[in-house]
Amino acid sequence: MHSHTFAGAAGLRLAASVGGPMEGQPVVLLHGGGQTRHAWRHAAADLARAGRRVISLDLRGHGDSAWSDEADYSFDGFAADLREVLATLTEPPALVGASLGGLTSLLVAGEEPPVELRALVLVDVVPRLEREGVMQIVRFMLAHADGFASLDEAADAVAAYLPHRPRPESAAGLRKNLREGADGRLRWHWDPKLLLGERVPDPEPAIARFEAACRRVRVPTLLVRGARSEMVTEAGVQDFLRLIPAAEYIDVSEAGHMVAGDDNDAFNVAVKNFLARLP
């Protein structure tokens, strides 16, 4: 995988990792809120080895992408960026989006103007998300505003938030998700103004918008849910399947909301098998 830069809406700079054969079927990966493109590093490498042309984006305000001067972290802003990236591709891509990236992908797949896509993969996200699950993520993102003194201290915070996930032997993998401030402390690699956007909207209008987008999706769709997810319940899944009756659905038994990070092997198999079955 190598670094690449795209121009998003109004020319906003978007960082990406790109890999796989130039002639491969494009797959665009979009991470969740508060994450970076490196959340996909294992999945991206696996898809590239399978012959896909993989584009893993840092959403605006995240990772190495530019921060919005207007603090525009609305769903419209994220979707506008994605549309600009898709316009540079010569073939219709498959969109794979987790959480915030999944909601962004859903809006692009189901709202005007239409975009030609190959497939849509939504990772632990449906229109009717569990409010308390959303708030757990928000509370984690709001915590530690003063940063961390070391990688190990940041790793302690992640371990407390994700107690079901085995703790890595080394905290070095967190480095790409943190930035060092002028005070020498490490802070998460996203714009603190991100939570001024629509991350915790009045739920009913947001739900209605996502449900309407689902009804207009016309491409093969896969929902991958973490069986231990605090965000997506079985009831939320069934609501989603009523909106997109042709969608496929799979539970990853050992995963929570962050499916690819919790059980990367099972996630990769599910996505690769789905893409391989596309007509």
Side-chain angles (χ1 to χ4, degrees), residues 13-60:
R13 179 181 53 78
L14 300 174
S17 294
V18 178
M22 289 290 293
E23 68 279 7
Q25 173 68 46
V27 178
V28 180
L29 304 175
L30 295 106
H31 61 76
Q35 296 183 315
T36 72
R37 68 188 191 274
H38 301 294
W40 298 113
R41 59 189 181 279
H42 297 303
D46 204 33
L47 287 166
R49 284 192 296 268
R52 308 287 175 177
R53 183 65 173 171
V54 181
I55 300 161
S56 182
L57 282 175
D58 275 340
L59 299 177
R60 61 168 57 199

mmCIF file of all heavy atoms in Angstrom, residues 13-60:
data_model
loop_
_atom_site.group_PDB
_atom_site.id
_atom_site.type_symbol
_atom_site.label_atom_id
_atom_site.label_comp_id
_atom_site.label_asym_id
_atom_site.label_seq_id
_atom_site.Cartn_x
_atom_site.Cartn_y
_atom_site.Cartn_z
ATOM 1 N N ARG A 13 -8.179 18.422 1.191
ATOM 2 C CA ARG A 13 -7.196 17.353 0.975
ATOM 3 C C ARG A 13 -7.562 16.119 1.778
ATOM 4 O O ARG A 13 -7.756 16.170 2.987
ATOM 5 C CB ARG A 13 -5.798 17.841 1.383
ATOM 6 C CG ARG A 13 -4.699 16.802 1.235
ATOM 7 C CD ARG A 13 -3.363 17.360 1.684
ATOM 8 N NE ARG A 13 -3.426 17.913 3.016
ATOM 9 C CZ ARG A 13 -3.416 17.182 4.139
ATOM 10 N NH1 ARG A 13 -3.329 15.866 4.076
ATOM 11 N NH2 ARG A 13 -3.480 17.767 5.322
ATOM 12 N N LEU A 14 -7.638 14.975 1.078
ATOM 13 C CA LEU A 14 -7.960 13.704 1.707
ATOM 14 C C LEU A 14 -6.799 12.733 1.515
ATOM 15 O O LEU A 14 -6.363 12.496 0.389
ATOM 16 C CB LEU A 14 -9.224 13.097 1.094
ATOM 17 C CG LEU A 14 -10.510 13.927 1.193
ATOM 18 C CD1 LEU A 14 -11.623 13.249 0.414
ATOM 19 C CD2 LEU A 14 -10.917 14.134 2.646
ATOM 20 N N ALA A 15 -6.298 12.183 2.603
ATOM 21 C CA ALA A 15 -5.205 11.219 2.539
ATOM 22 C C ALA A 15 -5.779 9.821 2.347
ATOM 23 O O ALA A 15 -6.884 9.502 2.810
ATOM 24 C CB ALA A 15 -4.378 11.272 3.821
ATOM 25 N N ALA A 16 -5.022 8.976 1.665
ATOM 26 C CA ALA A 16 -5.463 7.608 1.419
ATOM 27 C C ALA A 16 -4.264 6.689 1.332
ATOM 28 O O ALA A 16 -3.138 7.128 1.062
ATOM 29 C CB ALA A 16 -6.272 7.535 0.122
ATOM 30 N N SER A 17 -4.512 5.408 1.558
ATOM 31 C CA SER A 17 -3.557 4.354 1.232
ATOM 32 C C SER A 17 -4.152 3.572 0.075
ATOM 33 O O SER A 17 -5.331 3.206 0.104
ATOM 34 C CB SER A 17 -3.331 3.426 2.431
ATOM 35 O OG SER A 17 -2.695 4.112 3.489
ATOM 36 N N VAL A 18 -3.340 3.352 -0.954
ATOM 37 C CA VAL A 18 -3.817 2.709 -2.177
ATOM 38 C C VAL A 18 -2.918 1.522 -2.485
ATOM 39 O O VAL A 18 -1.693 1.600 -2.335
ATOM 40 C CB VAL A 18 -3.817 3.705 -3.359
ATOM 41 C CG1 VAL A 18 -4.273 3.026 -4.645
ATOM 42 C CG2 VAL A 18 -4.713 4.899 -3.044
ATOM 43 N N GLY A 19 -3.505 0.417 -2.908
ATOM 44 C CA GLY A 19 -2.711 -0.755 -3.241
ATOM 45 C C GLY A 19 -3.489 -1.724 -4.095
ATOM 46 O O GLY A 19 -4.687 -1.544 -4.346
ATOM 47 N N GLY A 20 -2.813 -2.767 -4.537
ATOM 48 C CA GLY A 20 -3.434 -3.755 -5.405
ATOM 49 C C GLY A 20 -3.217 -3.402 -6.860
ATOM 50 O O GLY A 20 -2.795 -2.293 -7.203
ATOM 51 N N PRO A 21 -3.495 -4.327 -7.770
ATOM 52 C CA PRO A 21 -3.245 -4.102 -9.201
ATOM 53 C C PRO A 21 -4.092 -2.968 -9.763
ATOM 54 O O PRO A 21 -5.267 -2.824 -9.398
ATOM 55 C CB PRO A 21 -3.590 -5.442 -9.844
ATOM 56 C CG PRO A 21 -4.460 -6.146 -8.853
ATOM 57 C CD PRO A 21 -4.030 -5.680 -7.508
ATOM 58 N N MET A 22 -3.498 -2.193 -10.651
ATOM 59 C CA MET A 22 -4.201 -1.060 -11.252
ATOM 60 C C MET A 22 -5.491 -1.504 -11.935
ATOM 61 O O MET A 22 -6.482 -0.783 -11.945
ATOM 62 C CB MET A 22 -3.292 -0.362 -12.261
ATOM 63 C CG MET A 22 -2.135 0.406 -11.645
ATOM 64 S SD MET A 22 -2.707 1.897 -10.765
ATOM 65 C CE MET A 22 -3.316 2.878 -12.127
ATOM 66 N N GLU A 23 -5.473 -2.701 -12.526
ATOM 67 C CA GLU A 23 -6.643 -3.183 -13.268
ATOM 68 C C GLU A 23 -7.651 -3.897 -12.370
ATOM 69 O O GLU A 23 -8.692 -4.368 -12.847
ATOM 70 C CB GLU A 23 -6.201 -4.136 -14.378
ATOM 71 C CG GLU A 23 -5.627 -5.466 -13.897
ATOM 72 C CD GLU A 23 -4.166 -5.406 -13.473
ATOM 73 O OE1 GLU A 23 -3.604 -4.292 -13.424
ATOM 74 O OE2 GLU A 23 -3.600 -6.475 -13.201
ATOM 75 N N GLY A 24 -7.363 -3.979 -11.078
ATOM 76 C CA GLY A 24 -8.253 -4.685 -10.167
ATOM 77 C C GLY A 24 -9.556 -3.941 -9.920
ATOM 78 O O GLY A 24 -9.637 -2.719 -10.085
ATOM 79 N N GLN A 25 -10.589 -4.683 -9.528
ATOM 80 C CA GLN A 25 -11.871 -4.076 -9.172
ATOM 81 C C GLN A 25 -11.680 -3.127 -7.989
ATOM 82 O O GLN A 25 -11.156 -3.525 -6.952
ATOM 83 C CB GLN A 25 -12.870 -5.163 -8.793
ATOM 84 C CG GLN A 25 -14.191 -4.649 -8.247
ATOM 85 C CD GLN A 25 -15.011 -3.925 -9.299
ATOM 86 O OE1 GLN A 25 -15.137 -4.419 -10.391
ATOM 87 N NE2 GLN A 25 -15.546 -2.762 -8.956
ATOM 88 N N PRO A 26 -12.073 -1.845 -8.124
ATOM 89 C CA PRO A 26 -11.865 -0.905 -7.011
ATOM 90 C C PRO A 26 -12.728 -1.235 -5.787
ATOM 91 O O PRO A 26 -13.903 -1.580 -5.912
ATOM 92 C CB PRO A 26 -12.277 0.451 -7.605
ATOM 93 C CG PRO A 26 -12.315 0.257 -9.087
ATOM 94 C CD PRO A 26 -12.643 -1.177 -9.307
ATOM 95 N N VAL A 27 -12.112 -1.128 -4.632
ATOM 96 C CA VAL A 27 -12.809 -1.256 -3.354
ATOM 97 C C VAL A 27 -12.400 -0.057 -2.508
ATOM 98 O O VAL A 27 -11.209 0.163 -2.267
ATOM 99 C CB VAL A 27 -12.440 -2.559 -2.625
ATOM 100 C CG1 VAL A 27 -13.155 -2.627 -1.273
ATOM 101 C CG2 VAL A 27 -12.792 -3.782 -3.464
ATOM 102 N N VAL A 28 -13.374 0.739 -2.072
ATOM 103 C CA VAL A 28 -13.109 1.924 -1.262
ATOM 104 C C VAL A 28 -13.496 1.620 0.179
ATOM 105 O O VAL A 28 -14.636 1.235 0.460
ATOM 106 C CB VAL A 28 -13.886 3.143 -1.786
ATOM 107 C CG1 VAL A 28 -13.593 4.373 -0.915
ATOM 108 C CG2 VAL A 28 -13.515 3.434 -3.241
ATOM 109 N N LEU A 29 -12.545 1.790 1.094
ATOM 110 C CA LEU A 29 -12.749 1.507 2.513
ATOM 111 C C LEU A 29 -12.899 2.820 3.284
ATOM 112 O O LEU A 29 -12.064 3.721 3.146
ATOM 113 C CB LEU A 29 -11.556 0.728 3.069
ATOM 114 C CG LEU A 29 -11.198 -0.587 2.366
ATOM 115 C CD1 LEU A 29 -9.912 -1.167 2.966
ATOM 116 C CD2 LEU A 29 -12.330 -1.589 2.485
ATOM 117 N N LEU A 30 -13.943 2.912 4.100
ATOM 118 C CA LEU A 30 -14.193 4.114 4.905
ATOM 119 C C LEU A 30 -14.346 3.726 6.365
ATOM 120 O O LEU A 30 -15.233 2.958 6.723
ATOM 121 C CB LEU A 30 -15.446 4.844 4.415
ATOM 122 C CG LEU A 30 -15.308 5.413 2.996
ATOM 123 C CD1 LEU A 30 -16.113 4.559 2.041
ATOM 124 C CD2 LEU A 30 -15.766 6.853 2.934
ATOM 125 N N HIS A 31 -13.475 4.277 7.208
ATOM 126 C CA HIS A 31 -13.416 3.920 8.628
ATOM 127 C C HIS A 31 -14.523 4.588 9.430
ATOM 128 O O HIS A 31 -15.271 5.433 8.932
ATOM 129 C CB HIS A 31 -12.049 4.311 9.194
ATOM 130 C CG HIS A 31 -11.768 5.783 9.092
ATOM 131 N ND1 HIS A 31 -12.340 6.713 9.935
ATOM 132 C CD2 HIS A 31 -10.983 6.501 8.238
ATOM 133 C CE1 HIS A 31 -11.918 7.924 9.613
ATOM 134 N NE2 HIS A 31 -11.095 7.828 8.579
ATOM 135 N N GLY A 32 -14.578 4.240 10.707
ATOM 136 C CA GLY A 32 -15.557 4.816 11.611
ATOM 137 C C GLY A 32 -15.096 6.140 12.202
ATOM 138 O O GLY A 32 -13.934 6.538 12.080
ATOM 139 N N GLY A 33 -16.007 6.828 12.871
ATOM 140 C CA GLY A 33 -15.686 8.101 13.497
ATOM 141 C C GLY A 33 -14.613 7.951 14.562
ATOM 142 O O GLY A 33 -14.674 7.041 15.389
ATOM 143 N N GLY A 34 -13.631 8.849 14.522
ATOM 144 C CA GLY A 34 -12.538 8.811 15.487
ATOM 145 C C GLY A 34 -11.432 7.848 15.117
ATOM 146 O O GLY A 34 -10.402 7.802 15.805
ATOM 147 N N GLN A 35 -11.600 7.075 14.039
ATOM 148 C CA GLN A 35 -10.552 6.177 13.581
ATOM 149 C C GLN A 35 -9.761 6.811 12.444
ATOM 150 O O GLN A 35 -9.972 7.972 12.093
ATOM 151 C CB GLN A 35 -11.162 4.850 13.112
ATOM 152 C CG GLN A 35 -11.845 4.053 14.209
ATOM 153 C CD GLN A 35 -12.368 2.720 13.698
ATOM 154 O OE1 GLN A 35 -12.983 2.640 12.636
ATOM 155 N NE2 GLN A 35 -12.111 1.673 14.459
ATOM 156 N N THR A 36 -8.845 6.063 11.864
ATOM 157 C CA THR A 36 -8.126 6.485 10.666
ATOM 158 C C THR A 36 -8.127 5.328 9.679
ATOM 159 O O THR A 36 -8.591 4.225 9.983
ATOM 160 C CB THR A 36 -6.665 6.878 10.971
ATOM 161 O OG1 THR A 36 -5.904 5.685 11.266
ATOM 162 C CG2 THR A 36 -6.579 7.851 12.144
ATOM 163 N N ARG A 37 -7.583 5.570 8.504
ATOM 164 C CA ARG A 37 -7.545 4.524 7.478
ATOM 165 C C ARG A 37 -6.737 3.306 7.935
ATOM 166 O O ARG A 37 -6.911 2.212 7.398
ATOM 167 C CB ARG A 37 -6.964 5.082 6.176
ATOM 168 C CG ARG A 37 -5.484 5.452 6.217
ATOM 169 C CD ARG A 37 -5.092 6.181 4.933
ATOM 170 N NE ARG A 37 -3.665 6.373 4.736
ATOM 171 C CZ ARG A 37 -2.964 7.377 5.224
ATOM 172 N NH1 ARG A 37 -3.561 8.292 5.996
ATOM 173 N NH2 ARG A 37 -1.676 7.496 4.966
ATOM 174 N N HIS A 38 -5.885 3.496 8.924
ATOM 175 C CA HIS A 38 -5.053 2.388 9.386
ATOM 176 C C HIS A 38 -5.870 1.334 10.137
ATOM 177 O O HIS A 38 -5.367 0.232 10.385
ATOM 178 C CB HIS A 38 -3.913 2.915 10.244
ATOM 179 C CG HIS A 38 -3.047 3.894 9.510
ATOM 180 N ND1 HIS A 38 -2.274 3.529 8.422
ATOM 181 C CD2 HIS A 38 -2.861 5.237 9.669
ATOM 182 C CE1 HIS A 38 -1.634 4.600 7.963
ATOM 183 N NE2 HIS A 38 -1.979 5.631 8.697
ATOM 184 N N ALA A 39 -7.116 1.646 10.477
ATOM 185 C CA ALA A 39 -7.987 0.630 11.067
ATOM 186 C C ALA A 39 -8.227 -0.521 10.098
ATOM 187 O O ALA A 39 -8.567 -1.631 10.511
ATOM 188 C CB ALA A 39 -9.327 1.253 11.473
ATOM 189 N N TRP A 40 -8.036 -0.254 8.797
ATOM 190 C CA TRP A 40 -8.258 -1.265 7.759
ATOM 191 C C TRP A 40 -6.964 -1.942 7.309
ATOM 192 O O TRP A 40 -6.987 -2.677 6.316
ATOM 193 C CB TRP A 40 -8.879 -0.617 6.525
ATOM 194 C CG TRP A 40 -10.212 0.019 6.674
ATOM 195 C CD1 TRP A 40 -10.499 1.347 6.585
ATOM 196 C CD2 TRP A 40 -11.482 -0.642 6.877
ATOM 197 N NE1 TRP A 40 -11.841 1.565 6.735
ATOM 198 C CE2 TRP A 40 -12.468 0.360 6.909
ATOM 199 C CE3 TRP A 40 -11.837 -1.981 7.037
ATOM 200 C CZ2 TRP A 40 -13.815 0.059 7.096
ATOM 201 C CZ3 TRP A 40 -13.179 -2.275 7.223
ATOM 202 C CH2 TRP A 40 -14.154 -1.265 7.253
ATOM 203 N N ARG A 41 -5.853 -1.711 7.964
ATOM 204 C CA ARG A 41 -4.574 -2.086 7.360
ATOM 205 C C ARG A 41 -4.509 -3.568 6.990
ATOM 206 O O ARG A 41 -4.019 -3.906 5.906
ATOM 207 C CB ARG A 41 -3.399 -1.711 8.265
ATOM 208 C CG ARG A 41 -3.396 -2.350 9.655
ATOM 209 C CD ARG A 41 -2.307 -1.735 10.526
ATOM 210 N NE ARG A 41 -2.263 -2.325 11.856
ATOM 211 C CZ ARG A 41 -3.072 -1.974 12.846
ATOM 212 N NH1 ARG A 41 -3.981 -1.042 12.645
ATOM 213 N NH2 ARG A 41 -2.968 -2.545 14.033
ATOM 214 N N HIS A 42 -5.008 -4.445 7.848
ATOM 215 C CA HIS A 42 -4.955 -5.875 7.533
ATOM 216 C C HIS A 42 -5.960 -6.232 6.442
ATOM 217 O O HIS A 42 -5.636 -6.975 5.504
ATOM 218 C CB HIS A 42 -5.224 -6.704 8.789
ATOM 219 C CG HIS A 42 -4.192 -6.512 9.864
ATOM 220 N ND1 HIS A 42 -2.835 -6.733 9.654
ATOM 221 C CD2 HIS A 42 -4.319 -6.111 11.155
ATOM 222 C CE1 HIS A 42 -2.179 -6.474 10.766
ATOM 223 N NE2 HIS A 42 -3.048 -6.096 11.683
ATOM 224 N N ALA A 43 -7.164 -5.697 6.548
ATOM 225 C CA ALA A 43 -8.186 -5.980 5.538
ATOM 226 C C ALA A 43 -7.768 -5.422 4.178
ATOM 227 O O ALA A 43 -7.953 -6.078 3.140
ATOM 228 C CB ALA A 43 -9.521 -5.380 5.963
ATOM 229 N N ALA A 44 -7.197 -4.217 4.170
ATOM 230 C CA ALA A 44 -6.774 -3.608 2.906
ATOM 231 C C ALA A 44 -5.688 -4.434 2.234
ATOM 232 O O ALA A 44 -5.736 -4.690 1.026
ATOM 233 C CB ALA A 44 -6.277 -2.184 3.159
ATOM 234 N N ALA A 45 -4.711 -4.880 3.011
ATOM 235 C CA ALA A 45 -3.631 -5.690 2.448
ATOM 236 C C ALA A 45 -4.160 -7.013 1.912
ATOM 237 O O ALA A 45 -3.741 -7.484 0.836
ATOM 238 C CB ALA A 45 -2.550 -5.931 3.496
ATOM 239 N N ASP A 46 -5.101 -7.612 2.616
ATOM 240 C CA ASP A 46 -5.669 -8.894 2.194
ATOM 241 C C ASP A 46 -6.458 -8.733 0.897
ATOM 242 O O ASP A 46 -6.348 -9.553 -0.027
ATOM 243 C CB ASP A 46 -6.566 -9.436 3.308
ATOM 244 C CG ASP A 46 -6.735 -10.937 3.239
ATOM 245 O OD1 ASP A 46 -5.794 -11.629 2.817
ATOM 246 O OD2 ASP A 46 -7.811 -11.429 3.616
ATOM 247 N N LEU A 47 -7.262 -7.679 0.792
ATOM 248 C CA LEU A 47 -8.024 -7.431 -0.432
ATOM 249 C C LEU A 47 -7.100 -7.134 -1.609
ATOM 250 O O LEU A 47 -7.357 -7.570 -2.740
ATOM 251 C CB LEU A 47 -9.002 -6.273 -0.212
ATOM 252 C CG LEU A 47 -10.216 -6.582 0.662
ATOM 253 C CD1 LEU A 47 -10.905 -5.293 1.085
ATOM 254 C CD2 LEU A 47 -11.190 -7.487 -0.078
ATOM 255 N N ALA A 48 -6.026 -6.407 -1.349
ATOM 256 C CA ALA A 48 -5.066 -6.113 -2.418
ATOM 257 C C ALA A 48 -4.403 -7.393 -2.912
ATOM 258 O O ALA A 48 -4.224 -7.593 -4.125
ATOM 259 C CB ALA A 48 -4.025 -5.112 -1.931
ATOM 260 N N ARG A 49 -4.044 -8.277 -1.986
ATOM 261 C CA ARG A 49 -3.452 -9.554 -2.385
ATOM 262 C C ARG A 49 -4.433 -10.399 -3.187
ATOM 263 O O ARG A 49 -4.032 -11.215 -4.031
ATOM 264 C CB ARG A 49 -2.991 -10.333 -1.143
ATOM 265 C CG ARG A 49 -1.707 -9.817 -0.514
ATOM 266 C CD ARG A 49 -1.155 -10.791 0.514
ATOM 267 N NE ARG A 49 -2.054 -10.948 1.653
ATOM 268 C CZ ARG A 49 -1.974 -10.217 2.755
ATOM 269 N NH1 ARG A 49 -1.041 -9.279 2.882
ATOM 270 N NH2 ARG A 49 -2.823 -10.424 3.757
ATOM 271 N N ALA A 50 -5.722 -10.201 -2.952
ATOM 272 C CA ALA A 50 -6.751 -10.943 -3.678
ATOM 273 C C ALA A 50 -7.035 -10.343 -5.049
ATOM 274 O O ALA A 50 -7.930 -10.815 -5.754
ATOM 275 C CB ALA A 50 -8.024 -10.996 -2.847
ATOM 276 N N GLY A 51 -6.298 -9.285 -5.411
ATOM 277 C CA GLY A 51 -6.434 -8.715 -6.749
ATOM 278 C C GLY A 51 -7.334 -7.513 -6.848
ATOM 279 O O GLY A 51 -7.608 -7.031 -7.955
ATOM 280 N N ARG A 52 -7.789 -6.977 -5.708
ATOM 281 C CA ARG A 52 -8.630 -5.776 -5.731
ATOM 282 C C ARG A 52 -7.756 -4.522 -5.722
ATOM 283 O O ARG A 52 -6.665 -4.514 -5.145
ATOM 284 C CB ARG A 52 -9.562 -5.749 -4.517
ATOM 285 C CG ARG A 52 -10.371 -7.024 -4.337
ATOM 286 C CD ARG A 52 -11.465 -7.164 -5.345
ATOM 287 N NE ARG A 52 -12.156 -8.446 -5.221
ATOM 288 C CZ ARG A 52 -13.194 -8.806 -5.954
ATOM 289 N NH1 ARG A 52 -13.673 -7.971 -6.863
ATOM 290 N NH2 ARG A 52 -13.764 -9.995 -5.801
ATOM 291 N N ARG A 53 -8.247 -3.464 -6.320
ATOM 292 C CA ARG A 53 -7.595 -2.159 -6.245
ATOM 293 C C ARG A 53 -8.181 -1.442 -5.042
ATOM 294 O O ARG A 53 -9.334 -0.995 -5.069
ATOM 295 C CB ARG A 53 -7.841 -1.356 -7.525
ATOM 296 C CG ARG A 53 -7.142 0.002 -7.557
ATOM 297 C CD ARG A 53 -5.634 -0.172 -7.556
ATOM 298 N NE ARG A 53 -4.936 1.110 -7.761
ATOM 299 C CZ ARG A 53 -3.632 1.257 -7.640
ATOM 300 N NH1 ARG A 53 -2.876 0.206 -7.323
ATOM 301 N NH2 ARG A 53 -3.058 2.422 -7.845
ATOM 302 N N VAL A 54 -7.438 -1.348 -3.979
ATOM 303 C CA VAL A 54 -7.963 -0.906 -2.688
ATOM 304 C C VAL A 54 -7.605 0.554 -2.430
ATOM 305 O O VAL A 54 -6.444 0.961 -2.568
ATOM 306 C CB VAL A 54 -7.417 -1.782 -1.550
ATOM 307 C CG1 VAL A 54 -7.994 -1.339 -0.212
ATOM 308 C CG2 VAL A 54 -7.743 -3.254 -1.810
ATOM 309 N N ILE A 55 -8.609 1.328 -2.051
ATOM 310 C CA ILE A 55 -8.430 2.732 -1.680
ATOM 311 C C ILE A 55 -8.990 2.898 -0.278
ATOM 312 O O ILE A 55 -10.201 2.789 -0.060
ATOM 313 C CB ILE A 55 -9.163 3.663 -2.656
ATOM 314 C CG1 ILE A 55 -8.637 3.471 -4.078
ATOM 315 C CG2 ILE A 55 -9.037 5.122 -2.218
ATOM 316 C CD1 ILE A 55 -9.565 3.984 -5.151
ATOM 317 N N SER A 56 -8.119 3.123 0.690
ATOM 318 C CA SER A 56 -8.525 3.288 2.086
ATOM 319 C C SER A 56 -8.365 4.757 2.452
ATOM 320 O O SER A 56 -7.250 5.283 2.481
ATOM 321 C CB SER A 56 -7.664 2.404 2.991
ATOM 322 O OG SER A 56 -8.076 2.518 4.328
ATOM 323 N N LEU A 57 -9.481 5.429 2.709
ATOM 324 C CA LEU A 57 -9.483 6.876 2.922
ATOM 325 C C LEU A 57 -9.428 7.257 4.392
ATOM 326 O O LEU A 57 -10.005 6.578 5.243
ATOM 327 C CB LEU A 57 -10.759 7.491 2.342
ATOM 328 C CG LEU A 57 -10.885 7.709 0.844
ATOM 329 C CD1 LEU A 57 -12.289 8.216 0.537
ATOM 330 C CD2 LEU A 57 -9.843 8.696 0.342
ATOM 331 N N ASP A 58 -8.750 8.362 4.678
ATOM 332 C CA ASP A 58 -8.951 9.087 5.933
ATOM 333 C C ASP A 58 -10.077 10.075 5.685
ATOM 334 O O ASP A 58 -9.971 10.940 4.792
ATOM 335 C CB ASP A 58 -7.690 9.867 6.331
ATOM 336 C CG ASP A 58 -6.683 9.035 7.107
ATOM 337 O OD1 ASP A 58 -7.068 7.997 7.662
ATOM 338 O OD2 ASP A 58 -5.503 9.437 7.148
ATOM 339 N N LEU A 59 -11.171 9.968 6.430
ATOM 340 C CA LEU A 59 -12.251 10.937 6.299
ATOM 341 C C LEU A 59 -11.765 12.326 6.704
ATOM 342 O O LEU A 59 -10.776 12.467 7.436
ATOM 343 C CB LEU A 59 -13.428 10.530 7.179
ATOM 344 C CG LEU A 59 -14.077 9.173 6.877
ATOM 345 C CD1 LEU A 59 -15.187 8.903 7.883
ATOM 346 C CD2 LEU A 59 -14.615 9.119 5.465
ATOM 347 N N ARG A 60 -12.456 13.339 6.221
ATOM 348 C CA ARG A 60 -12.097 14.713 6.603
ATOM 349 C C ARG A 60 -12.026 14.824 8.127
ATOM 350 O O ARG A 60 -12.825 14.237 8.864
ATOM 351 C CB ARG A 60 -13.105 15.728 6.049
ATOM 352 C CG ARG A 60 -14.513 15.557 6.542
ATOM 353 C CD ARG A 60 -15.415 16.746 6.214
ATOM 354 N NE ARG A 60 -15.472 17.045 4.791
ATOM 355 C CZ ARG A 60 -15.863 18.207 4.282
ATOM 356 N NH1 ARG A 60 -16.254 19.196 5.094
ATOM 357 N NH2 ARG A 60 -15.900 18.398 2.987
#
